[in-house]
Amino acid sequence: MDRLIIRFATCARAAGLMVSQAEVMDTLTHLALVDVTDPQAFHRVLRANFAKSRRDQPRFDHLFHLFFHEFREDAGLSKDLLAPEAARLARELAKEFPDDPAFKAALDFMAGDPLAFLEKLRALETDGDRPAMAMGGNLGQVARRLEMMLAAGKVKDGLLRRLGENPDNLPWQTRRELEEHFLSRLDAARRLISGEDRPLEAGAEARSAYEKRLGEIGERSFVSLTPKEVAEMREVIDQLVRKLKDLASLRYSRQKRGVLDVKKTLRKSGRYLGVPMELVRRNKPPKKGKIVTLCDVSGSVWSAARFMLNMLYSLQECFTRVRSYVFVAGLAEVTGIFEDNEISRAIDKVLAEAELEYGAPTDYGATFRQFSRNHMEVLNKKTTLIIIGDGRSNYLNPELRLLEEMREKCRRVIWLNPEAKGFWYSGDSEMRAFETRVNEVRPCQNLNQLTDFIQDLIL
Amino acid sequence: MEFENVEAVRQRLEEADYICSPEAATVVFLAEATGKPVLVEGPAGVGKTELAKAVAKCLGRELIRLQCYEGLDEAKALYEWEYAKQLLYTQMVKDKLSEIISGAGSLSEAVDRIANQEDAFFSERFIQPRPLLAALTSLKPVVLLIDEVDKSDPEFEAFLLEILSDFQVSIPELGTKKAVHIPFVVLTSNNYRDMSDALKRRCIHLYLDYPDRDLERRIVQLKLPGIGQRLGDQLVDSVRAIRDLDLKKKPCISETLDWARSLVVLQVEELSPAVVEETLSVLVKYRSDSGKVRENIKKVADKAGLTWTASS
Ligand SMILES: Nc1ncnc2c1ncn2[C@@H]1O[C@H](COP(=O)(O)OP(=O)(O)O)[C@@H](O)[C@H]1O
Ligand SMILES: [Mg+2]
């Protein structure tokens, strides 16, 4: 029994279920407590230990079925007597191609042990998720599928040949049953390889729907999104944000409870006649400081800026404070709009309500002048200033000195550029000059780049 | 081991007014026998909370419930200091305190001297146990229900994991408290978010889905023994047909029961499509959902075998 469960666990892991040593041990303990000859009880115990979320259950059930019914050593053979026969044929055939792992995997599969075969398939499928490397990059996958298909065919031919070689050794009924068995096995293998039957993916659908979408939309340039995709992007961002929050808070989760800071507690208690009304603990998770954003909202830059604002404000609790300004030729503070409205509404409102001259040519210099005149006090050594823009300043004075002053005032300045890198230094772009005045410049053309940035920011 | 076997669990839960599936009975049995927490997942209203209550009832144990929500922190879940009591005591020992700080050269020296007395301020006497500490320190074995754990923050989840692994907590001011008895722990989740792999690893898993026909029928019979055979069948079949529609929120068991109760009060003996439409608001809570049921009333009636001419 132990061996069987351990093998099933290996299979389950190969199929992407989270099964640790702990689960295997628990399962064995649990099996000792129930009537294992009752197939349903057996199934229930395994499922309660192997599939620990609803999403995993269909995948588990499918695998369970494959492992304990379809591919069971004796399954499909009417008499257990046939199993040794099939195994013997397989053993003999194995000697013919000793160095061919694909052949060996297919042979084991035909003879009742699906593990190696499933693992090969799994490797194939995860490879398939990688973007095609160069031209025809997908050919490799197709070729390997073909290789497995050929191996399975070779195994079948070999088995049937051996079956026919010594007709007198076996009664014809036995031979026919074995033949049927191998053919049906081959069929199963074929279905698996061609992807008609995907045990490794059953149930994975729900989990990866979001990942798939992220994959599709993550590399799409912000400028090219249709309105429908913008809405979809928001949903993807919601989930991303949730993950990032989990990450951030787990990271700060104190291993041990913060210890009571007796001195501070007593100091504070002065206000209440010496009674400690408020306990102070050490090791509060650090906040990640203040964020100030300056967003160019002219033209195409807005399409990237809105998503950045969306993410930043969704993660507000990771920062002490987020303040935002938008600009074209002049500056307007929009922090209030974000604080008073739900995020997506706030984003829609920004362009409508911020008092800006949208017709005017973008002027970074004027923006910096206005910022340093009126808002310099929002910067201090705990502030990260994020500027998002293409740096196209219509050949007007870029006021580099002011940008330098701003950098001196704060912890760091990060410049996000949503333009394709190939255009950065052309035409009226001042990127080359800006680049040397800020601490970091990052491309920000699509969701993946944006996510990387935000993740670095909060962790 | 409190239960003899899986069947015994089923029976005793039923005596505690809970009808359970074989899966649920198996998981409860294994969890009890091996002292593992149960993580119950499932949509709202399928009996996750009720299961914990029923387990407590049939084991004759106290149920200690920790309701999770966003922002729940360790203090609220574990223990709090009783400030009022501390205040009272400080007032009463005022003289003693001034004795301690008399002659202190500076404020900080005085504070340090008081700090040396912290043991007196932060002793067990002033602790107000919250559900988790109460469950650990209870002298009798209890059932600990950690309800809607998916609503808590991941940080709190990490803390829970520690407790569920060691069944002990360390209170910085008092030292380590070890569980007197390992409680029977039930965690419930609506799947608002995924629980961590580590937490899942600690638990044995149970998914409660909307019940099958037979189970729901038996629940209805249990809670409303007076309901007519035919009405009971029609009711359960109709609920099931309505659940098959693509609704924002599918009716759950408690809604089935509410509906059954209203039908009994209205003295309905047989369901007809018209009666379904008239009483729908008890069963379906969103307006858009009622609209959808009305649009599809024919389909529902067919599936549930309701006749159009039946009188109400
Ligand atoms: N298996 C059951 N047996 C008896 N009553 C049940 C059962 N499942 C659910 N109920 C009824 O449904 C109601 C809602 O269940 P509850 O446990 O609150 O749902 P959940 O916690 O899953 O949201 C309970 O009050 C109970 O009356
Ligand atoms: Mg509940």
Side-chain angles (χ1 to χ4, degrees), chain B residues 13 16-21 40-54 65 147-148 188-190 208 211 215 218-220 222-223 252-255 257 261:
Chain B
L13 282 175
D17 283 349
Y18 190 87
I19 314 268
C20 75
S21 62
V40 191
E41 255 189 325
V46 292
K48 300 184 294 296
T49 305
E50 191 76 7
L51 174 65
K53 291 184 187 165
R65 176 171 180 172
D147 215 4
E148 304 186 8
T188 76
S189 158
N190 251 326
L208 283 185
L215 199 80
R218 280 162 56 211
I219 296 173
V220 169
L222 177 82
K223 301 272 161 148
C252 64
I253 299 179
S254 41
E255 277 145 359
L257 293 172
R261 266 178 221 117

Side-chain angles (χ1 to χ4, degrees), chain A residues 29-38 41-42 45, chain B residues 6 26 29-30:
Chain A
T29 318
H30 289 160
L31 283 173
L33 293 165
V34 300
D35 174 11
V36 285
T37 60
D38 171 359
F42 182 73
V45 170
Chain B
V6 177
T26 307
F29 170 73
L30 295 174

Side-chain angles (χ1 to χ4, degrees), chain A residues 18 20 22-23 26 29-30 33-34 44-45 48 51-55 57 242 246 249-250 253-260 262-263 266 273 275-277 279 281, chain B residues 1 22-23 26-27 29-30 33-34 36 41 74 79 81 83 87 90 112 114-115 118 122 154-155 158 162 170 172-173 192 194 197 200-201 203-205 207 209:
Chain A
M18 291 283 309
S20 70
E23 268 99 14
D26 286 342
T29 318
H30 289 160
L33 293 165
V34 300
R44 278 176 207 132
V45 170
K52 291 202 170 169
S53 78
R54 168 63 173 162
R55 266 199 322 258
Q57 286 186 346
R242 224 188 270 172
D246 284 2
S249 53
L250 272 180
S253 125
R254 285 154 286 171
Q255 281 295 307
K256 291 279 163 264
R257 295 165 42 70
V259 175
L260 187 73
V262 177
K263 283 193 187 154
L266 288 177
L273 295 164
V275 181
M277 294 298 281
L279 296 190
R281 293 186 184 280
Chain B
M1 251 169 50
E23 282 80 17
T26 307
V27 167
F29 170 73
L30 295 174
T34 55
K36 284 203 85 134
E41 255 189 325
E74 299 166 20
Y79 66 89
W81 293 103
Y83 302 131
L87 174 63
T90 345
D112 281 343
I114 292 182
E118 64 178 279
F122 297 104
E155 185 182 337
E162 264 180 58
S170 80
E173 299 81 16
Y192 170 71
D194 268 357
D197 289 330
K200 286 194 262 184
R201 198 168 302 145
C203 299
I204 171 165
H205 180 261
Y207 180 72
D209 206 342

